[in-house]
Amino acid sequence: MDTCELLCSGQFVGINSKNARGILKHRMKQKEERNNVMKKANETVVLCGASAYEEKYYLNPQFSKLPEHIRQELQIMCVLYTQKVGGILMLEFTPEGHLEFKTEAKENDFFYDEIGSVLEIKKLQNEKRELMEALEMFYRVVFLGEEFNYDEA
């Protein structure tokens, strides 16, 4: 929609063409931001991860605004998991906003405990259920732009 169409539509009665162009630019920027969110919505987003091979922990910088105690809890959880089980653990958000545990192991890693991995993930999901639900809500509101529902919280 160009400036003339905006002015003729009656939405901007009493606004001069200079202001209308500014409003048009603002609307185009909003549309671009929505498109970027939709592009992100079609791919998974890694929250954090740890590797037993490199002995490193990673937190996605997009989540640096999380409270310090939550970031520390995520770090402890991931590092302890990789110490017990081995391999690599990643916490990822699906396009719908659900938090999933993803694990990997090198093909020749005979110390990786595949059965222990499943059991440890189930244990973490039960013990950290409130944390995981809060992180999912945070992601859906902040990154996917959903409305916060107090009844759901």
Side-chain angles (χ1 to χ4, degrees):
M1 185 177 284
D2 65 10
T3 307
C4 183
E5 289 174 331
L6 285 171
L7 290 170
C8 294
S9 69
Q11 294 179 25
F12 301 107
V13 175
I15 295 178
N16 62 33
S17 62
K18 184 178 178 183
N19 290 342
R21 280 191 292 274
I23 292 169
L24 178 63
K25 286 180 185 178
H26 178 71
R27 284 197 173 174
M28 290 174 70
K29 184 178 177 184
Q30 284 178 327
K31 185 178 180 181
E32 183 180 327
E33 288 172 357
R34 278 195 301 272
N35 288 340
N36 289 338
V37 169
M38 294 308 291
K39 286 178 190 174
K40 286 182 183 179
N42 293 328
E43 51 190 59
T44 60
V45 175
V46 174
L47 167 62
C48 61
S51 171
Y53 307 119
E54 298 178 21
E55 296 182 351
K56 289 189 177 180
Y57 170 77
Y58 168 79
L59 176 70
N60 187 333
Q62 292 178 316
F63 296 94
S64 62
K65 292 183 180 180
L66 286 171
E68 181 65 27
H69 71 279
I70 291 177
R71 290 184 302 206
Q72 288 176 353
E73 191 169 348
L74 288 169
Q75 182 175 4
I76 291 167
M77 182 178 71
C78 290
V79 170
L80 287 178
Y81 170 91
T82 56
Q83 283 183 339
K84 278 185 181 179
V85 178
I88 299 169
L89 172 68
M90 290 182 293
L91 275 66
E92 294 181 351
F93 288 103
T94 64
E96 297 81 28
H98 300 289
L99 190 57
E100 294 183 345
F101 290 73
K102 301 280 182 163
T103 62
E104 295 178 14
K106 291 183 178 177
E107 190 174 322
N108 59 354
D109 183 0
F110 300 109
F111 295 106
Y112 178 73
D113 184 3
E114 198 168 323
I115 295 170
S117 170
V118 174
L119 295 173
E120 188 66 24
I121 287 174
K122 286 186 185 280
K123 178 182 167 191
L124 288 172
Q125 287 172 329
N126 286 329
E127 289 177 356
K128 307 289 185 184
R129 180 179 313 274
E130 286 184 24
L131 173 64
M132 299 300 128
E133 289 172 355
L135 288 167
E136 286 177 350
M137 180 62 72
F138 173 83
Y139 181 77
R140 289 196 317 263
V141 170
V142 174
F143 289 88
L144 298 181
E146 293 182 11
E147 292 291 322
F148 181 73
N149 186 351
Y150 288 97
D151 297 330
E152 197 177 298

